[in-house]
Amino acid sequence: MQTNALPGRYLFSRNGRYYFHRKVTGQQVRVSLKTRDPILASEHARTLYLFTNGLKRLGISPTDIRKLTKNKAELLHEDTIGQAALTQAAPEGVTPKAPQLTHLHQKEDTQPPVDNPLFVSASIEEAAEDIKRTGGSNAENIRKYIEAWTELAELNPGCSFNDFKFRDAKSHLNRLLQLPNRRTVKAQYKKLNISRVIELDIPPEELLSATSINERMKRLSRLWQWATEHEAYEGSNPFSSRTLRLQEKPRERGRYSSSDIQVLFSSPLYTDREFQASCGATKSWWWLILLALYSGARCGELAQLTVEDIQIWEGVWCLSINDEDNKKVKTSAGIRLCPIHPQLLKVGFIEYIEYLKRNNFVHVLPYPNQNATDVAQRCSKWYCGTYKPNHLPEAWVRENKVFHSFRHTFINRAIRELDLPLHQVQSIVGHESSNMGETKRYAGGKYKIGDLSEVMSKFNYENMDLEYLSKGWCRLSDL
């Protein structure tokens, strides 16, 4: 059955139940409206239609639009149930009040009335749009804002901004302490209601970090700032208190041992012909790990390399890490020439660059540079969120062996295990020269390429010869 409120292509019924569906950037978004009432289904479908339009304008990915639309549909359903329960319970002739938060403290002192009472769940799209319009954030940060705000709305269906006080913000902080990281992605959690997830006994190492929780609380503070500006809230911002911030204990990143590196280069990306032929394997990923392990460069520095940054200086092949053409470096010391390690030359890196030039590719790693606002993050997420969990030892997660660990491993191996000259290693990896005092000012922190190449040629991993990987990149897809 179709209704007149929306075009039929956005609303359909199956076995008497109504569903909202539409295509977003070529991907189907379909969610159950959990109702048999055609009028209510039409109202909810219209709400979801406008909601998905707003998410498209914000540049949210189709995958995230699908998740957020499902969450929105569940909130609409819960609000309907809450209102229906109040209507049934109210004495004849008494108009029920709007649904209020069920878990918040009963307040002896009420919040002052506001000129524009707004529900949190109904304000998320507009608030995100305002932040984006004022140039306050990129698409990835907008997604994180929406994630934090949606969590709050899911845990407090039917709540308005003026319902919240400090104690309620503190209660929300305690709930965040019970949530796992990457909840909407991990298979064991993503289909569960957030309230159900909180009831689970989640291993401590899988819970949100203090840094992640603090970021969420800051984003909620920004939402309440928006509500105040729109006259939907009066009083002190309940999420801005410093007492609602957790102490962030730096967690030392793990380092890869020589045996770990042998495991890495025996994994499917490098040895399994069937995996290499799949869509999960590309030349970019094959070279990304090798470049990280044998240059010590930061993920962002590798991600933005172009084929023109592969240069010969004084007879030495180098990575030219620079800030030209909108590229970014962390510090001034990050602008440097990094000699290409002999092992990379042995497995065909220069032939790979020539291949990219012949095929008119701009970047050394073309795949992650496709349609990405943050290429470095895309590289890191592929390794930490896709490849490592599925193809590398589970213990590496507990040991916090992440993409940045490749850089730590290179520096530790060069200085502590191989006893290579400190200042030349610092120059290779883009660190500020230390222990030089005034000498640094006169030396300028620069070394001859030949000297750095000699240091690089002495760098190695124990019992590791990559000659067996030669030309292995040829079997993988470009994009």
Side-chain angles (χ1 to χ4, degrees), residues 11-202:
L11 183 65
F12 76 99
S13 64
R14 177 184 294 165
N15 298 326
R17 289 188 176 273
Y18 283 91
Y19 294 80
F20 168 78
H21 72 136
R22 70 177 298 192
K23 279 192 174 182
V24 178
T25 320
Q27 292 195 25
Q28 187 73 30
V29 175
R30 178 176 297 171
V31 297
S32 171
L33 299 175
K34 299 183 179 179
T35 182
R36 298 176 184 273
D37 184 338
I39 297 176
L40 183 62
S42 179
E43 292 175 357
H44 286 186
R46 175 172 290 279
T47 300
L48 294 178
Y49 177 80
L50 297 174
F51 179 71
T52 51
N53 278 350
L55 295 179
K56 285 174 64 179
R57 289 197 303 270
L58 292 170
I60 305 300
S61 72
T63 300
D64 287 327
I65 287 178
R66 188 163 53 245
K67 294 174 185 175
L68 293 168
T69 304
K70 182 179 179 182
N71 291 338
K72 180 72 170 178
E74 290 176 353
L75 288 172
L76 290 171
H77 176 64
E78 289 170 4
D79 286 351
T80 301
I81 292 174
Q83 186 63 51
L86 285 170
T87 302
Q88 292 172 5
E92 186 176 352
V94 177
T95 302
K97 295 181 180 180
Q100 300 293 316
L101 286 81
T102 57
H103 77 275
L104 295 185
H105 297 276
Q106 294 297 321
K107 306 174 180 64
E108 297 177 3
D109 53 332
T110 59
Q111 293 282 61
V114 293
D115 294 333
N116 183 27
L118 289 175
F119 290 103
V120 174
S121 60
S123 305
I124 291 174
E125 177 187 342
E126 184 180 354
E129 179 68 35
D130 285 349
I131 290 177
K132 182 179 181 182
R133 186 177 61 252
T134 56
S137 212
N138 59 31
E140 176 61 18
N141 281 332
I142 291 292
R143 184 194 67 78
K144 291 178 179 178
Y145 273 115
I146 293 175
E147 179 182 44
W149 301 344
T150 302
E151 284 175 347
L152 184 80
E154 289 177 340
L155 288 168
N156 306 287
C159 68
S160 69
F161 287 100
N162 222 41
D163 288 322
F164 276 79
K165 298 184 78 172
F166 170 78
R167 71 190 74 175
D168 307 314
K170 186 174 182 179
S171 175
H172 184 67
L173 172 66
N174 290 333
R175 283 174 165 76
L176 291 179
L177 288 167
Q178 298 170 271
L179 287 178
N181 57 51
R182 304 180 71 246
R183 174 180 62 87
T184 59
V185 176
K186 292 182 177 178
Q188 65 267 44
Y189 305 125
K190 65 181 181 181
K191 294 184 179 180
L192 297 178
N193 181 281
I194 190 171
S195 299
R196 176 73 183 98
V197 175
I198 286 177
E199 297 172 357
L200 300 176
D201 184 16
I202 298 171

Side-chain angles (χ1 to χ4, degrees), residues 282-289 352 364-368 476-479:
T282 67
K283 292 179 174 67
S284 296
W285 297 146
W286 197 91
W287 281 108
L288 175 65
I289 293 174
Y352 170 65
V364 172
L365 304 173
Y367 180 73
L476 287 78
S477 64
D478 297 331
L479 300 173

